[in-house]
Amino acid sequence: MQKNILKFIILPSILIIILSVIYYNQVQYETNVLIQDKYALVIAQDKKQLATLIEEKQENILTISLAVSKYPSIQDVLLGKNSDQLKLKEFSTLLKDTTSMKNLWFQIIAPDGTSLYRSFSNKYGDNLTKARIEIADIIDYPRVISTISVGKFSITYKSIVPVYYKSKFIGLFETIAHFNSISKKINQKGLASLLLIDKKYKKQLVYSLHKQFLDDYYIADKNPNPTLISYLQDLTPQKVLQHSSRKYILDKGNNLLISSYTINDYLDNDLGYFILFKDLDDIDINDIQQIENNVLLLFGVTLLLLYILMYYIYRKLKHTEIEKKNQELEKNIKMKNDVLEYVSLHDSLTSLPNRKLFKKKLTSLLANKTIDTEIYVMYIGIDKLKEINDAYGHNIGDKIIQSTALTLINTLQEDALVARLTADEFAVALLIKKSSCIEVITAKLLKDIQLLQEIRGKQLAITVSIGLSSVLDEAKTSSLLLRNANTAMYKAKSLNGNTYQFYTPEMTTNLLDKIKLANDLNHAIINDEFEPYFQPQIDALSNTIVGMEGLVRWIHPKLGIIYPDRFIPYAEESGLIVEIDRIMMRKSMQAVMSLKNASTLRLSLNLSAVNLESANFMKELKNTLILTNFNAKNLELEMLESQIMKDQESSIALLHELKELGISISIDDFGTGYSSLSALKKLPITKLKIDKSFVDNLPYDKDDIAIVETIIALANALKLKLIAEGVETKEQKDFLVAHKCCTIQGYYYSKPLSQKDFKEFMIKFPN
Ligand code: C2E
Ligand code: CA
Ligand code: CA
């Protein structure tokens, strides 16, 4: 999965981001180039307009010069005649009034360069060839010269034309006009400008209008814009002119585009410069930006589509992967479930069927019984196994159990039903012909087992006690048959073992008489003889106490502490368990509430399924919670797997009700009864408690390891919490922790403790 994210999301994303940055920069660059081209184009257009304006006026002046030069009175002056007829000043005024030609001046020059007449001055007779090279030039080589030049006053247009009389060159006629009107005209067209005269004319401009200079450049405009002057001063004209090759200077801060247009003199030398200031807002670059936006949008959409595609592929792969994993898990669970089913119906030490399977098989045997057959049930207890265990160790005890199992199978007929019920007890069901003699079979069994003397080099006296029951005693069910056989076995044991007894009804009466248990229990309730003991539950990883299980103890005034295994079965049978569990709840909650860390601890209580049938159960539980001020979220009820599975429909409803209150439900002794996966899924349970019997032989017994691993896998698959009980050794604890079952209960940490001892334990336990 991780690999797929990397392959289909992260790596492509990085690639795309890099590409995007490159692409975005490229687009920006291209856009910039386009904008610069546009600026250059606009500047070029402006300059062209300027050039046209300059040329138009020049042409007009030349036209006037040409036309006037043909006047006879001009010739008269050049031929030395009277110049009274010359009304050029009036002509100038006429032009001023009727055309756009304001301020036109005229001069007549003799072929030797002497000024013969000036419309703008009374002075004449001076020679111009020294001061003005174009005059000298035109005299040498008469032709029309139309130029711009700088004089003592300012910059002017000058159109000089040769005058002929009878094909003879007789002099020159010159028309002069102000140049700076051009500035006015271009300003009217929305282009701000300053007209600068080249530095070399500084000395010459002795009669200049306002003597305003910028770095030795004369400002020729009539009313120059002071803002532009100071702006240009800061920028320096030098800089603008130097960069004229670069077409323009872009000043984004002032939103200006600055360029220059050079005016040349007669000899094509620099004479003056129009510095042009273009407002950037006047340049429409929307079309370019639109293109940029469209390109980026297209790119964005492509990226988005790419991403969707990648995500789609990733999802597809993830989906198939999850499918695959799910299938694997299902298969795994199914397999483990099968293992669990086998395990839950068989004893791990001997591989014999357990009580559950035995009863099931016996039930079907009973259903198929024919008239000519008889069914006998044997309850076989190994004599004094506990003593052997204590003396020689459990390994020898286990060996004895296995050998006994083997002898049972070998001695009895093939179709005999053999099961192991508890540590030292077996059951056998036999279907035999009425003619067969059960006593003979039983006697042979006793003898064969007695022969099992040497176990692992030790001489041991191994005997069993056998109780027998049959349908003849009006026992019709497997449970009754087993119970009767069990009662008979106790009788055999009381006769010192190594013998067998047939069940008789008197045996039951005697037994009941002997214990009078139900009665005693009633008294115990009235006399308040039940007390909760608490066994800590530890989180082995953090080594902290996370909770405790409340376990009932009967504090008998004469017999001392009586353990629940002795009276719970009878309490359940008689229904008194409901009352005992109620006492336990009240006392346990009160005890926990008196602890310092009460709010962080979880209290587990055992709940007999009999309670679920009690009408008042829910009401009383709620009352107890209120009375003791106990937080329901800290309460966990443990129910035996076998009980919870029995009456599913009605218990599920009640369990849901408990869950709604915030109470957790844990399955006690998990693994000992067979729970189907589907049934487990349906129950609102939160925790599995791995039974002590599976923990006992960890980490040495292969079967137990397999079972514990299966339960852990099952819990993980169903998202259930886990706790292990009966943990007595460090090895067991370490195995469980290594397999991620970290909540531990057992003698390894502590035995169940009285309320007082538990308080002390809490103080001493390292946190
Ligand atoms: P359980 O719920 O499976 O409780 C665990 C039993 O294992 C307890 O026995 C506990 O003392 C014992 N135990 C815990 N750790 C270890 C260990 O490391 N080694 C060994 N050998 N034993 C350990 P206890 O107190 O005798 O209780 C026996 C059973 O009686 C309980 O089994 C439970 O099913 C039932 N029980 C106890 N108290 C109540 C109660 O208040 N209400 C009901 N309905 N049943 C109860
Ligand atoms: Ca329990
Ligand atoms: Ca248990």
Side-chain angles (χ1 to χ4, degrees):
M1 191 61 58
Q2 227 57 358
K3 236 165 102 188
N4 275 343
I5 294 182
L6 197 74
K7 211 158 108 195
F8 291 96
I9 301 285
I10 296 176
L11 281 183
S13 296
I14 292 171
L15 209 71
I16 283 172
I17 288 169
I18 293 170
L19 281 178
S20 301
V21 169
I22 294 172
Y23 185 76
Y24 182 78
N25 278 337
Q26 188 60 28
V27 170
Q28 289 279 302
Y29 175 77
E30 298 284 346
T31 311
N32 253 336
V33 168
L34 282 179
I35 290 175
Q36 280 170 16
D37 286 352
K38 175 100 184 195
Y39 287 165
L41 184 72
V42 168
I43 295 281
Q45 279 169 351
D46 284 345
K47 285 186 185 174
K48 182 141 194 219
Q49 215 171 20
L50 183 57
T52 311
L53 277 174
I54 293 171
E55 279 163 16
E56 265 175 9
K57 185 156 182 180
Q58 191 163 18
E59 210 168 277
N60 284 344
I61 294 161
L62 180 61
T63 310
I64 290 166
S65 218
L66 282 169
V68 177
S69 73
K70 297 286 179 242
Y71 259 65
S73 48
I74 303 291
Q75 291 174 3
D76 286 352
V77 172
L78 285 171
L79 291 171
K81 291 181 189 166
N82 195 353
S83 62
D84 290 349
Q85 297 295 310
L86 214 55
K87 298 226 167 77
L88 289 179
K89 267 184 200 159
E90 285 86 337
F91 180 53
S92 193
T93 314
L94 180 69
L95 284 173
K96 189 175 183 174
D97 294 344
T98 53
T99 71
S100 65
M101 297 281 155
K102 319 289 177 196
N103 301 323
L104 246 60
W105 301 284
F106 306 103
Q107 179 163 227
I108 302 171
I109 302 156
D112 63 353
T114 311
S115 173
L116 298 178
Y117 170 83
R118 284 184 173 101
S119 74
F120 48 95
S121 162
N122 290 329
K123 210 179 127 200
Y124 64 94
D126 53 327
N127 195 298
L128 300 172
T129 45
K130 291 255 159 55
R132 296 181 55 186
I133 46 166
E134 77 270 24
I135 301 283
D137 188 14
I138 196 172
I139 288 168
D140 278 355
Y141 175 44
R143 63 190 192 281
V144 169
I145 289 181
S146 190
T147 182
I148 301 162
S149 71
V150 176
K152 289 179 180 169
F153 296 90
S154 184
I155 174 170
T156 49
Y157 280 110
K158 291 196 173 74
S159 286
I160 313 161
V161 294
V163 182
Y164 295 88
Y165 179 71
K166 293 185 179 164
S167 304
K168 187 177 172 252
F169 173 63
I170 58 166
L172 302 167
F173 181 74
E174 181 180 38
T175 306
I176 303 164
H178 267 316
F179 184 81
N180 50 19
S181 65
I182 299 292
S183 307
K184 212 165 127 194
K185 280 189 187 151
I186 57 164
N187 288 352
Q188 279 164 359
K189 298 206 176 203
L191 193 61
S193 71
L194 281 176
L195 176 54
L196 301 185
I197 306 301
D198 195 72
K199 283 175 173 181
K200 60 179 172 269
Y201 293 102
K202 188 180 178 185
K203 274 192 197 137
Q204 185 184 315
L205 284 156
V206 279
Y207 305 125
S208 61
L209 193 62
H210 39 64
K211 298 208 161 31
Q212 192 163 9
F213 285 86
L214 229 181
D215 282 3
D216 293 346
Y217 292 94
Y218 174 63
I219 303 170
D221 299 86
K222 207 167 168 191
N223 294 310
N225 183 333
T227 328
L228 291 183
I229 293 176
S230 72
Y231 175 79
L232 192 56
Q233 194 144 35
D234 291 345
L235 195 63
T236 72
Q238 211 72 33
K239 197 173 165 201
V240 180
L241 297 176
Q242 265 169 18
H243 288 73
S244 64
S245 57
R246 237 218 255 148
K247 292 180 188 157
Y248 57 80
I249 292 175
L250 177 63
D251 178 356
K252 280 210 168 143
N254 289 300
N255 213 31
L256 281 177
L257 209 56
I258 304 126
S259 60
S260 65
Y261 177 85
T262 308
I263 306 156
N264 292 331
D265 68 4
Y266 160 72
L267 291 175
D268 255 358
N269 291 322
D270 289 0
L271 179 143
Y273 316 94
F274 271 104
I275 310 294
L276 304 172
F277 301 88
K278 183 88 180 174
D279 192 336
L280 283 182
D281 290 342
D282 293 344
I283 304 174
D284 182 11
I285 51 166
N286 278 343
D287 48 347
I288 297 170
Q289 271 158 356
Q290 192 61 46
I291 291 172
E292 182 192 9
N293 289 345
N294 287 347
V295 167
L296 287 179
L297 186 73
L298 193 71
F299 185 64
V301 169
T302 316
L303 274 192
L304 191 72
L305 289 176
L306 212 65
Y307 250 105
I308 293 172
L309 184 73
M310 269 155 37
Y311 187 68
Y312 177 77
I313 294 173
Y314 166 71
R315 283 306 296 249
K316 256 264 139 74
L317 282 170
K318 192 172 160 183
H319 190 76
T320 32
E321 206 166 319
I322 288 176
E323 276 295 79
K324 223 172 85 195
K325 278 212 172 137
N326 268 350
Q327 278 169 5
E328 263 166 35
L329 192 72
E330 282 276 311
K331 221 171 88 190
N332 218 338
I333 288 180
K334 167 98 182 52
M335 235 168 64
K336 297 204 163 175
N337 225 7
D338 292 345
V339 173
L340 207 62
E341 179 172 9
Y342 177 85
V343 157
S344 71
L345 293 174
H346 291 81
D347 163 51
S348 63
L349 186 64
T350 59
S351 296
L352 287 176
N354 62 14
R355 183 188 295 268
K356 187 172 174 176
L357 186 57
F358 178 80
K359 279 169 94 173
K360 208 170 133 189
K361 288 195 170 177
L362 179 56
T363 306
S364 63
L365 203 65
L366 286 167
N368 294 323
K369 181 185 141 17
T370 51
I371 303 175
D372 59 337
T373 57
E374 207 58 78
I375 292 174
Y376 285 96
V377 170
M378 294 182 183
Y379 210 107
I380 304 166
I382 303 174
D383 295 332
K384 302 198 173 66
L385 184 66
K386 195 175 169 337
E387 281 88 332
I388 297 173
N389 266 342
D390 289 348
Y392 299 100
H394 279 270
N395 279 347
I396 295 295
D398 286 354
K399 261 271 90 60
I400 291 170
I401 292 164
Q402 283 168 331
S403 307
T404 310
L406 212 65
T407 311
L408 289 177
I409 291 164
N410 290 338
T411 305
L412 296 168
Q413 62 199 57
E414 237 167 64
D415 56 355
L417 194 57
V418 182
R420 184 172 174 219
L421 303 183
T422 66
D424 54 357
E425 292 170 332
F426 295 89
V428 172
L430 286 171
L431 182 76
I432 54 172
K433 290 250 153 51
K434 277 205 165 135
S435 53
S436 304
C437 184
I438 186 72
E439 285 89 344
V440 175
I441 300 170
T442 314
K444 165 114 174 50
L445 205 54
L446 279 175
K447 208 171 129 226
D448 282 358
I449 288 170
Q450 241 188 318
L451 286 177
L452 276 174
Q453 301 246 320
E454 197 184 292
I455 299 237
R456 285 214 183 148
K458 295 199 165 65
Q459 290 297 319
L460 300 166
I462 299 158
T463 58
V464 295
S465 302
I466 302 177
L468 285 150
S469 70
S470 80
V471 279
L472 300 171
D473 311 314
E474 303 215 333
K476 300 272 187 295
T477 65
S478 54
S479 298
L480 259 178
L481 278 169
L482 260 179
R483 191 154 56 162
N484 289 346
N486 184 223
T487 307
M489 182 197 75
Y490 276 113
K491 177 76 188 166
K493 285 219 175 203
S494 72
L495 298 173
N496 262 339
N498 199 17
T499 181
Y500 64 88
Q501 287 287 308
F502 280 97
Y503 170 78
T504 61
E506 295 78 53
M507 285 179 183
T508 305
T509 335
N510 286 345
L511 200 68
L512 279 184
D513 277 353
K514 236 188 260 165
I515 3 182
K516 290 191 276 137
L517 203 62
N519 234 342
D520 288 358
L521 281 176
N522 243 328
H523 276 288
I525 291 169
I526 294 164
N527 296 340
D528 193 21
E529 289 171 5
F530 294 107
E531 285 298 332
Y533 268 50
F534 297 101
Q535 188 174 30
Q537 296 175 336
I538 309 290
D539 175 44
L541 282 184
S542 60
N543 218 26
T544 48
I545 305 172
V546 290
M548 72 287 274
E549 178 176 5
L551 294 155
V552 68
R553 298 291 179 262
W554 179 1
I555 317 290
H556 195 281
K558 283 192 198 124
L559 303 172
I561 294 179
I562 300 178
Y563 289 88
D565 286 340
R566 293 271 305 278
F567 58 87
I568 293 280
Y570 302 98
E572 286 193 321
E573 222 164 271
S574 60
L576 285 171
I577 190 71
V578 174
E579 194 53 39
I580 295 174
D581 280 352
R582 210 167 63 144
I583 294 168
M584 276 296 287
M585 280 186 190
R586 178 172 50 80
K587 288 194 172 181
S588 304
M589 289 183 202
Q590 272 168 351
V592 173
M593 289 307 282
S594 76
L595 294 173
K596 233 185 176 174
N597 302 12
S599 64
T600 63
L601 295 175
R602 180 187 294 274
L603 170 66
S604 298
L605 287 174
N606 295 286
L607 187 75
S608 165
V610 180
N611 284 288
L612 302 184
E613 287 146 32
S614 152
N616 282 334
F617 169 70
M618 245 357 243
K619 208 175 89 193
E620 279 169 4
L621 173 56
K622 283 183 197 166
N623 275 345
T624 313
L625 285 168
I626 293 167
L627 251 166
T628 56
N629 199 22
F630 195 90
N631 186 350
K633 291 207 167 51
N634 288 343
L635 181 61
E636 180 174 77
L637 295 177
E638 295 187 4
M639 297 196 63
L640 289 176
E641 187 183 15
S642 49
Q643 292 187 345
I644 207 170
M645 290 294 161
K646 223 189 274 169
D647 181 15
Q648 282 201 34
E649 290 309 310
S650 62
S651 47
I652 286 178
L654 210 103
L655 295 181
H656 275 289
E657 223 176 305
L658 288 172
K659 196 185 172 187
E660 260 157 47
L661 282 179
I663 297 170
S664 320
I665 300 181
S666 162
I667 297 197
D668 208 350
D669 294 359
F670 189 77
T672 57
Y674 168 65
S675 306
S676 79
L677 193 61
S678 57
L680 268 183
K681 271 187 186 168
K682 259 191 267 167
L683 292 171
I685 48 170
T686 42
K687 197 185 268 183
L688 300 182
K689 195 166 195 180
I690 303 175
D691 188 54
K692 176 180 181 304
S693 61
F694 303 125
V695 174
D696 281 345
N697 299 316
L698 290 181
Y700 307 111
D701 186 296
K702 277 202 193 100
D703 285 341
D704 286 349
I705 288 174
I707 294 163
V708 169
E709 281 176 351
T710 303
I711 294 174
I712 290 172
L714 197 69
N716 286 338
L718 296 175
K719 301 206 166 41
L720 298 173
K721 291 185 190 144
L722 273 171
I723 182 169
E725 68 173 5
V727 178
E728 294 182 344
T729 66
K730 183 171 182 305
E731 289 76 32
Q732 291 168 348
K733 183 211 76 174
D734 289 344
F735 176 91
L736 289 159
V737 170
H739 285 74
K740 304 237 158 56
C741 172
C742 300
T743 316
I744 304 287
Q745 179 184 345
Y747 292 177
Y748 175 67
Y749 286 110
S750 168
K751 292 198 171 190
L753 302 167
S754 69
Q755 191 182 338
K756 185 172 144 281
D757 291 345
F758 188 81
K759 270 188 190 167
E760 260 168 44
F761 178 85
M762 277 186 72
I763 293 165
K764 286 196 194 133
F765 192 77
N767 255 24

